[in-house]
Amino acid sequence: MPLREYLPFWNKLTDNQRQTLLNAAASRTVHKGELLHSGSSDCVGLLVVKEGQLREYVLSDEGKELTLYRLLPPDICLLSASCLMPSIQFDVFVEAEKDSEIFLIPSEVWRSLMHQSLEVSNYTLELMGERFSDVMWLMDQVLYRRMDARLSAFLLEESVLSGSDEMELTHETIARHLGTAREVITRMLKYLHNLGAVALQRGGVRILDREKLIKLAEGSLR
Amino acid sequence: MPLREYLPFWNKLTDNQRQTLLNAAASRTVHKGELLHSGSSDCVGLLVVKEGQLREYVLSDEGKELTLYRLLPPDICLLSASCLMPSIQFDVFVEAEKDSEIFLIPSEVWRSLMHQSLEVSNYTLELMGERFSDVMWLMDQVLYRRMDARLSAFLLEESVLSGSDEMELTHETIARHLGTAREVITRMLKYLHNLGAVALQRGGVRILDREKLIKLAEGSLR
């Protein structure tokens, strides 16, 4: 899909503004595991996901990760251009979780449009509202949902994203997604295994009983 | 202070826009404990804090509260006008924590300005970025900070806000602020008491050793 299909305000731009965007937006192929944005030290710009999957996460002082959310086509990553909004005072990291195709729109170009076009400014507000909502949902999960439910929901989500019941996932990787310690995940996976919900294999997890896992995720089975 | 002092974009507005704002903004006195905004069921507008103190919080499905942040003069509460931003998909509650004086700017008036003035639109983005940052800070606390450190930090903050070492605070109230159970707070307060950091009295807490409490909040004393 061409760039304009991802930008709902395209028809409201002037010819000049469209041309500026088309000239500035770079099509890039990024590889699984590649770090696209690293905290406040850089401000690469907005990332438009054409194909693949990006992951946005934060790091604690002790180096612990927590996945905030995933970006799938046609999502747009805004926080990789956080320098556009000086009031954003936290650091996010963005990595490609699969080989991906993206458009990169440089921060400076977006900043200029935000100060020329009401549509771009209000759309940026919409984007930030979406991400804010994602984080509020996560806060609710972290605070009030038991780890067995969060782990079950995570495994179900992973199997949808990977299109398979069999997932390559180390305990360490899962712990980084959920912002907890590896030991906690190891204990929880054994618990899910004892319930017959999953099978544990070398470097991976296989879903055995999806229904049971859904109930666990909902908190209606313990 | 008059309304214009709270709005950094005032000089960029047209005379007409200023007059609209002045006509629409209502000065209100609200009393301690008054609920000013209640989830997505209403959308009262932006609240400009002239005097006093507001508290913004969320409620879990089980009715547990978590304080997101406090608003002090000259803060502006944006999420009480969340209907302006359809992508905001979470419910916040706003209550007066002290007798307060506010300006209420109706959502419809702000919406109209946001679609007329780039300055208003970009300022709204700034406001949302600030609140987003507050919530990300809180997420870090909730995930990675021990409850004794969070409780100590909360007591220090309360004593600054109330201007006293002696605070009327039930264990239940503290638990609601920190999003945990009353029993957890009771246990933690006993621990702080045994360390000589606080004295526990009927319906309240008194700070005995501020230095110790600061160290506990920093995690450098356990």
Side-chain angles (χ1 to χ4, degrees):
Chain A
M1 282 204 310
L3 182 62
R4 64 168 179 275
E5 301 287 334
Y6 296 91
L7 305 175
F9 52 78
W10 188 263
N11 289 331
K12 307 291 178 74
L13 297 178
T14 66
D15 285 348
N16 242 334
Q17 289 167 339
R18 289 183 202 169
Q19 201 53 53
T20 306
L21 263 177
L22 287 173
N23 291 343
S27 230
R28 277 187 54 190
T29 302
V30 291
H31 295 289
K32 183 177 169 171
E34 200 174 317
L35 197 62
L36 304 180
H37 175 75
S38 175
S40 56
S41 60
D42 60 357
C43 187
V44 290
L46 283 86
L47 310 174
V48 181
V49 186
K50 293 198 280 182
E51 261 184 67
Q53 180 177 321
L54 308 185
R55 177 172 81 97
E56 228 167 296
Y57 62 97
V58 285
L59 270 182
S60 75
D61 290 344
E62 288 87 29
K64 261 180 158 181
E65 292 184 10
L66 173 74
T67 298
L68 293 179
Y69 41 79
R70 267 74 175 263
L71 298 168
L72 303 170
D75 289 338
I76 297 181
C77 176
L78 175 66
L79 293 178
S80 48
S82 62
C83 59
L84 294 180
M85 299 151 290
S87 61
I88 292 279
Q89 293 291 333
F90 55 92
D91 288 353
V92 299
F93 297 78
V94 183
E95 70 160 10
E97 235 181 352
K98 295 181 178 173
D99 290 345
S100 305
E101 297 289 327
I102 59 168
F103 283 119
L104 168 65
I105 305 175
S107 304
E108 276 317 306
V109 172
W110 195 270
R111 185 201 305 274
S112 158
L113 284 176
M114 262 172 62
H115 289 93
Q116 289 173 34
S117 157
L118 276 166
E119 277 77 18
V120 176
S121 175
N122 282 314
Y123 178 67
T124 310
L125 195 59
E126 277 303 292
L127 275 185
M128 202 198 288
E130 277 178 35
R131 300 303 164 246
F132 199 167
S133 299
D134 290 341
V135 166
M136 290 301 297
W137 181 85
L138 181 61
M139 175 84 91
D140 191 74
Q141 301 290 306
V142 162
L143 267 172
Y144 303 118
R145 211 162 168 201
R146 289 163 43 124
M147 189 50 86
D148 57 345
R150 287 182 63 209
L151 175 57
S152 300
F154 173 77
L155 293 175
L156 288 166
E157 191 190 332
E158 278 303 302
S159 97
V160 170
L161 289 173
S162 69
S164 161
D165 277 354
E166 203 157 344
M167 297 160 284
E168 274 182 44
L169 278 174
T170 67
H171 301 190
E172 184 66 37
T173 304
I174 301 174
R176 285 195 285 122
H177 277 288
L178 298 179
T180 186
R182 189 181 48 76
E183 295 73 15
V184 174
I185 297 301
T186 300
R187 197 174 62 231
M188 283 290 160
L189 280 174
K190 273 193 197 138
Y191 170 67
L192 297 188
H193 172 69
N194 290 340
L195 289 174
V198 301
L200 306 179
Q201 33 207 67
R202 199 172 180 80
V205 180
R206 188 154 51 89
I207 294 179
L208 290 180
D209 187 336
R210 184 168 292 267
E211 289 309 306
K212 206 171 261 176
L213 214 52
I214 291 173
K215 281 191 185 141
L216 281 158
E218 289 168 346
S220 59
L221 178 74
R222 284 189 171 169
Chain B
M1 283 204 308
L3 182 62
R4 64 167 177 277
E5 300 287 334
Y6 296 91
L7 305 176
F9 52 78
W10 188 264
N11 290 331
K12 307 290 178 77
L13 297 178
T14 65
D15 286 347
N16 242 334
Q17 290 167 339
R18 288 184 201 167
Q19 202 52 54
T20 306
L21 262 177
L22 288 172
N23 291 343
S27 231
R28 278 185 56 188
T29 303
V30 291
H31 296 291
K32 183 179 169 170
E34 200 174 317
L35 196 62
L36 304 180
H37 174 77
S38 175
S40 56
S41 58
D42 59 0
C43 186
V44 291
L46 282 86
L47 310 173
V48 182
V49 186
K50 292 199 282 184
E51 261 186 66
Q53 182 177 319
L54 309 184
R55 176 172 82 96
E56 227 167 297
Y57 63 98
V58 285
L59 271 181
S60 74
D61 291 344
E62 288 87 30
K64 262 181 157 179
E65 290 183 11
L66 173 75
T67 298
L68 293 179
Y69 41 79
R70 268 74 176 262
L71 298 167
L72 302 170
D75 288 337
I76 298 182
C77 176
L78 174 66
L79 293 180
S80 48
S82 62
C83 60
L84 294 180
M85 297 150 290
S87 61
I88 292 281
Q89 293 292 333
F90 55 93
D91 288 353
V92 299
F93 296 77
V94 184
E95 71 161 9
E97 236 182 352
K98 294 182 179 172
D99 290 345
S100 303
E101 298 287 330
I102 60 167
F103 284 119
L104 169 64
I105 305 175
S107 304
E108 275 317 307
V109 172
W110 195 271
R111 185 203 304 275
S112 158
L113 285 175
M114 262 172 62
H115 289 92
Q116 288 171 35
S117 158
L118 276 165
E119 278 76 17
V120 176
S121 175
N122 282 315
Y123 178 67
T124 309
L125 195 59
E126 276 305 291
L127 276 184
M128 203 198 287
E130 276 179 34
R131 300 305 164 245
F132 198 168
S133 299
D134 290 341
V135 166
M136 289 301 298
W137 181 85
L138 181 60
M139 175 83 91
D140 191 71
Q141 301 289 306
V142 162
L143 268 172
Y144 303 118
R145 212 163 167 200
R146 287 164 46 124
M147 189 49 87
D148 58 344
R150 287 181 63 208
L151 175 58
S152 300
F154 173 77
L155 293 174
L156 288 165
E157 190 190 332
E158 278 303 300
S159 97
V160 170
L161 289 172
S162 69
S164 163
D165 276 354
E166 204 157 344
M167 296 160 283
E168 276 183 41
L169 276 175
T170 66
H171 300 191
E172 184 66 35
T173 305
I174 302 175
R176 284 195 285 121
H177 276 289
L178 299 179
T180 186
R182 187 182 48 75
E183 295 74 14
V184 173
I185 296 302
T186 301
R187 196 174 63 228
M188 284 289 160
L189 281 173
K190 274 194 197 135
Y191 171 68
L192 298 188
H193 172 70
N194 290 340
L195 288 174
V198 301
L200 306 180
Q201 32 207 65
R202 198 172 179 78
V205 180
R206 188 154 50 89
I207 294 178
L208 290 181
D209 187 336
R210 183 168 293 267
E211 289 308 308
K212 206 170 264 180
L213 214 52
I214 290 173
K215 280 190 187 144
L216 279 160
E218 289 168 346
S220 59
L221 180 71
R222 289 194 167 167

